[in-house]
Amino acid sequence: MASTFYSSSIALPHSSIHSLQSLPTNSLSQTTVQIYGPKSYGGFGFLAVKGRSPFPVASAVAAQVNASEQAQKISFNESQRPVYPFSAIVGQDEMKLCLLLNVIDPKIGGVMIMGDRGTGKSTTVRSLVDLLPEIKVVAGDPYNSDPEDPEFMGVEVRERVLKGEQLQVVFSKINMVDLPLGATEDRVCGTIDIEKALTEGVKSFEPGLLAKANRGILYVDEVNLLDDHLVDVLLDSAASGWNTVEREGISVSHPARFILIGSGNPEEGELRPQLLDRFGMHAQVGTVRDAELRVKIVEERACFDKNPKGFRHSYKAQQEKLQQQIASARSFLPSVEIDRDLKVKISKVCAELNVDGLRGDIVINRSAKALAALKGSAKVSVEDIATVIPNCLRHRLRKDPLESIDSGLLVLEKFYAVFR
């Protein structure tokens, strides 16, 4: 049994979900170059009309990749370390759903995956690489600046726009960046060349992992073992959406908005509550107990290790189908609506569970809308909320050392009491 997301119906925890509806979608655009023209802006304010780029297009050049460039791209992809296909992962539907919803709506805020060792946490996260969609970025910009949204622009790109320069724009796949446990703060935040600044009088900044992860995914394996000083850096960037490096009186800032994905084993240590609250969703992963399913997993893994290229090819159709579903859901998401009475009930559940702050309310609304978009529904249903609410609130409840029941079950009990 391959992953259940790609068959005619989806098997999800806590509730059954009806078959996915196929949404019309345009295929992912091939590499295109566009030129965004200058416009005079007073000060640093950027005026934008909803649904329209703030930068008028002076000309658009459809530069389709020729055959030789496509061959080079395919050759490069094949030379990379093979990644286990997402659609080949058996079980673990809760974890897979949380990851898919974050790809559909990055503003959900990421996923914290906790569970037993050897349950495929890292494998599943890294398998997302094949499914990530393409986004518009400013060509040659180390921060993957968005040419249409000033909030995601680097300082240099903003200055170029204000000077009247034209921006060359290309399509690029969303980045997934691994943050090693042993990484130094300079490698994560970036470094300033002090010698060059003093001798030549110019700011020479070497971007770090946070710059590369802007508008992408930052993955931290064994996040509960991360050093405190790196946790502080992540907290600061996650809170502000910007990374600022201060060295010897020189300051450099750049956007650092990313989907934070962490995984870990709860037996190896707890996560700081400040960082835990920054994860939009929390998925619990358990060891598969069914003997037949365990054999299936072992056989699939053996096939992949024996012939990675052939194994990936056998799941190519399912991968492409899921990729199309994600692209359809991303384009359909803005039109999904949620009734006000459902919003009120969601907030009532959060209030009665004594959830601190309003992040829980916001994440539940966003996650339910993303799930509705994945299913092809224009309105959020009670079933959608029931599916996502345990993952959105489980890690936000105050812990009672004497409580033996799973916090996800507590959330569901309160949910059914309010929504009955």
Side-chain angles (χ1 to χ4, degrees):
M1 180 183 77
S3 174
T4 51
F5 284 111
Y6 330 105
S7 57
S8 60
S9 61
I10 305 178
L12 298 173
H14 310 308
S15 63
S16 61
I17 293 183
H18 301 298
S19 58
L20 286 172
Q21 300 175 9
S22 246
L23 294 174
T25 178
N26 297 326
S27 58
L28 286 175
S29 304
Q30 295 190 14
T31 304
T32 306
V33 178
Q34 296 175 331
I35 307 298
Y36 283 78
K39 183 175 180 180
S40 176
Y41 297 91
F44 286 87
F46 290 85
L47 301 177
V49 180
K50 187 176 182 181
R52 187 181 303 170
S53 169
F55 312 116
V57 179
S59 63
V61 183
Q64 292 193 354
V65 183
N66 58 37
S68 63
E69 288 175 330
Q70 285 182 339
Q72 288 177 0
K73 187 180 288 187
I74 293 171
S75 173
F76 175 78
N77 290 337
E78 290 180 350
S79 67
Q80 301 302 298
R81 185 173 63 178
V83 178
Y84 198 85
F86 189 88
S87 53
I89 294 170
V90 179
Q92 311 298 11
D93 293 324
E94 181 180 321
M95 170 172 57
K96 291 187 292 188
L97 177 64
C98 291
L99 292 171
L100 287 178
L101 295 184
N102 272 271
V103 173
I104 293 169
D105 185 2
K107 291 185 178 179
I108 288 174
V111 192
M112 179 65 213
I113 305 168
M114 297 295 280
D116 305 330
R117 58 182 71 88
T119 49
K121 300 185 294 295
S122 302
T123 301
T124 306
V125 173
R126 293 191 172 100
S127 67
L128 270 181
V129 170
D130 290 336
L131 305 177
L132 297 178
E134 291 185 329
I135 55 174
K136 286 181 181 180
V137 299
V138 177
D141 183 69
Y143 313 120
N144 303 315
S145 292
D146 188 338
E148 300 176 354
D149 187 355
E151 188 178 353
F152 293 95
M153 279 186 185
V155 176
E156 295 83 359
V157 174
R158 290 193 186 192
E159 290 176 351
R160 286 170 58 189
V161 172
L162 292 171
K163 288 177 182 177
E165 294 184 23
Q166 293 180 334
L167 302 178
Q168 190 179 32
V169 180
V170 296
F171 282 89
S172 175
K173 258 203 165 187
I174 290 177
N175 279 333
M176 176 177 283
V177 179
D178 271 286
L179 177 61
L181 289 179
T184 63
E185 187 173 342
D186 283 348
R187 181 69 189 102
V188 175
C189 298
T191 57
I192 297 174
D193 191 334
I194 301 298
E195 182 179 353
K196 195 170 184 178
L198 294 175
T199 56
E200 301 179 22
V202 295
K203 290 182 181 179
S204 179
F205 180 65
E206 181 66 30
L209 296 178
L210 292 180
K212 190 177 179 182
N214 185 43
R215 300 180 67 206
I217 295 174
L218 184 66
Y219 175 50
V220 189
D221 195 10
E222 306 295 348
V223 64
N224 46 341
L225 301 181
L226 198 63
D227 288 341
D228 282 345
H229 71 283
L230 291 182
V231 171
D232 294 336
V233 168
L234 291 182
L235 283 172
D236 185 48
S237 297
S240 64
W242 281 76
N243 174 44
T244 301
V245 181
E246 302 275 358
R247 297 286 187 278
E248 305 296 333
I250 300 173
S251 176
V252 175
S253 297
H254 66 79
R257 295 182 180 272
F258 45 80
I259 303 172
L260 184 60
I261 299 179
S263 62
N265 185 348
E267 295 178 358
E268 296 171 355
E270 292 293 329
L271 197 63
R272 280 171 58 177
Q274 298 97 320
L275 183 59
L276 189 61
D277 188 57
R278 290 293 172 185
F279 290 96
M281 305 182 79
H282 185 286
Q284 284 190 345
V285 182
T287 304
V288 176
R289 301 300 177 189
D290 182 78
E292 291 291 333
L293 207 54
R294 291 171 75 108
V295 171
K296 173 71 172 176
I297 295 170
V298 171
E299 290 176 345
E300 294 270 271
R301 184 70 208 191
C303 290
F304 175 76
D305 291 339
K306 184 178 180 180
N307 183 10
K309 197 175 294 185
F311 185 82
R312 284 172 55 83
H313 184 75
S314 66
Y315 280 92
K316 185 178 180 181
Q318 293 183 13
Q319 290 282 94
E320 289 176 350
K321 181 180 178 183
L322 181 57
Q323 205 169 24
Q324 188 179 28
Q325 288 175 351
I326 291 172
S328 299
R330 282 172 65 97
S331 61
F332 188 58
L333 180 63
S335 62
V336 177
E337 297 180 351
I338 180 169
D339 292 336
R340 179 171 176 76
D341 64 321
L342 293 182
K343 292 180 182 179
V344 173
K345 289 181 178 180
I346 288 171
S347 293
K348 188 176 180 181
V349 171
C350 294
E352 293 190 7
L353 287 172
N354 295 319
V355 176
D356 293 332
L358 295 173
R359 285 201 185 102
D361 306 55
I362 295 170
V363 171
I364 295 169
N365 279 269
R366 288 192 178 278
S367 302
K369 290 174 71 174
L371 179 55
L374 181 63
K375 293 164 58 181
S377 176
K379 298 195 80 172
V380 172
S381 67
V382 174
E383 188 181 41
D384 296 332
I385 300 171
T387 302
V388 301
I389 197 168
N391 304 112
C392 299
L393 295 183
R394 176 189 286 134
H395 58 301
R396 303 181 193 276
L397 301 186
R398 295 177 180 174
K399 290 188 176 181
D400 183 354
L402 301 178
E403 188 67 68
S404 59
I405 189 172
D406 177 63
S407 53
L409 295 178
L410 286 175
V411 173
L412 278 178
E413 284 181 5
K414 185 61 67 176
F415 168 81
Y416 286 120
V418 172
F419 279 78
R420 67 174 183 270

